[in-house]
Amino acid sequence: MTVTARPLSPGAEALLGREVPVLDLGFVQPIDYMGNDIDIVQAARVSYGPSTRKVHDDRGLLRYLMRHRHTTPFEMCEVKFRCKMPIFVARQWIRHRTANVNEMSLRYSEAPDEFYVPALEHVTLQSTTNRQGRDADTAVPAKLRERVRALLHTRHEQLYADYQTLAGELGIARELARTLLPVSLYTQWIWKIDLHNLLHFLDLRLDPHAQVEIRLFAEAMAGFVQAWVPLSWEAFVDYRREALPFTRVEGVALSHLLRGASADEAAAHAGLQGRELREFLDKLARVRALTEESGT
């Protein structure tokens, strides 16, 4: 048995090295981590002084840090993932510029014959209200979905054959031959990030409005984070993921609601309209759902 002086997380140790399948050919694999919930607490106590231990237990201090957005202690923990995803997912993912990344190079390596084809349920129409999103409500006939998948399969086969002709038969440089490959091609990278920035990534990419493909990768990583730092994850869910922050204008509308105005009247008093109004009404619906769940 290997002996180590490193702080360990039993939940993380149980999952290290395991590939979590995502999409048709992708995966998320945690390959290393540093620190655990206790390291976050200890980092905070260096700032707050030794007397803090008498005031807060570990869970209470973690929740205080998350609630008041004291982010530096969460940066003391890091995790490294090996991930395989379609290039278009990687291009969304790389927008989060707070990680260390090393990606497979198609200048040095031959492109794999691996292309993403969405599952039937993920073949949907363009949204008419969101320029960058899908229409999840309009039904798509099964024959149309199957036709889309068949078109993608056919195009992938032709493009890969052309790539092999360029890079193989004609001896064209791989860095040039790769230019005809589509963003559905799979790539891989090693992705290392601290916990604070990882939680920010997950907060955005777990959102129902995020593209479904990258959301599935976020869900796979979230499972590891929950096992790795369970107290931090609990605080994150309570104070970030499932929190309901209200803007100043929404606060004005709430004040009118509390005085007996209808939702429409309250919104009108506050000047809420358009997307901002829809977001406010969505928050009210979530509050009502919580009320029903609690039975009050």
Side-chain angles (χ1 to χ4, degrees), residues 149-287:
R149 282 173 49 87
L151 284 170
L152 291 172
H153 275 298
T154 300
R155 178 53 56 194
H156 292 157
E157 290 175 357
Q158 184 60 57
L159 287 172
Y160 195 74
D162 292 342
Y163 168 80
Q164 288 185 312
T165 298
L166 289 174
E169 178 183 337
L170 302 180
I172 300 301
R174 285 188 294 269
E175 66 179 23
L176 182 59
R178 65 179 175 170
T179 60
L180 59 72
L181 294 170
V183 293
S184 55
L185 181 76
Y186 270 88
T187 185
Q188 293 191 40
W189 65 27
I190 302 296
W191 195 67
K192 181 172 73 70
I193 192 168
D194 67 64
L195 179 59
H196 162 59
N197 285 297
L198 175 56
L199 292 177
H200 178 66
F201 170 87
L202 293 176
D203 196 27
L204 293 174
R205 297 305 183 176
L206 289 172
D207 189 277
H209 297 95
Q211 184 169 345
V212 62
E213 284 83 3
I214 196 168
R215 190 167 72 239
L216 293 173
F217 281 94
E219 289 174 0
M221 287 188 289
F224 176 80
V225 176
Q226 186 173 9
W228 170 33
V229 282
L231 297 181
S232 297
W233 180 261
E234 176 193 51
F236 170 66
V237 170
D238 286 346
Y239 301 127
R240 294 281 297 278
R241 284 294 307 134
E242 297 184 11
L244 288 173
F246 287 94
T247 66
R248 185 196 66 80
V249 181
E250 290 172 336
V252 172
L254 283 173
S255 70
H256 286 282
L257 278 175
L258 293 173
R259 291 199 294 268
S262 67
D264 289 339
E265 292 170 338
H269 279 296
L272 290 169
Q273 56 185 338
R275 179 177 294 181
E276 195 171 6
L277 173 59
R278 292 194 297 272
E279 292 172 356
F280 175 65
L281 295 177
D282 286 344
K283 291 177 184 178
L284 290 183
R286 289 176 62 187
V287 170

Side-chain angles (χ1 to χ4, degrees), residues 52-102:
T52 308
R53 180 177 293 276
K54 301 175 184 177
V55 180
H56 297 285
D57 62 10
D58 292 343
R59 178 174 177 272
L61 179 52
L62 275 171
R63 293 176 68 82
Y64 175 87
L65 295 171
M66 185 70 70
R67 189 166 64 252
H68 293 279
R69 297 184 181 269
H70 294 301
T71 60
T72 306
F74 294 97
E75 295 174 6
M76 301 300 161
C77 290
E78 293 189 344
V79 62
K80 187 190 299 182
F81 292 104
R82 177 169 168 256
C83 306
K84 179 179 178 182
M85 76 291 282
I87 288 175
F88 74 89
V89 172
R91 296 303 160 256
Q92 289 183 318
W93 199 324
I94 204 67
R95 292 294 301 150
H96 299 266
R97 295 166 291 173
T98 50
N100 303 114
V101 186
N102 197 44

Side-chain angles (χ1 to χ4, degrees), residues 40-52 61 65 70 72-73 76:
I40 300 168
V41 170
Q42 290 177 340
R45 287 184 172 131
V46 167
S47 298
Y48 296 162
S51 63
T52 308
L61 179 52
L65 295 171
H70 294 301
T72 306
M76 301 300 161

Side-chain angles (χ1 to χ4, degrees), residues 22-41:
V22 184
L23 302 182
D24 50 351
L25 300 172
F27 61 77
V28 167
Q29 180 189 37
I31 56 177
D32 200 5
Y33 72 95
M34 181 182 75
N36 55 27
D37 281 324
I38 303 304
D39 287 285
I40 300 168
V41 170

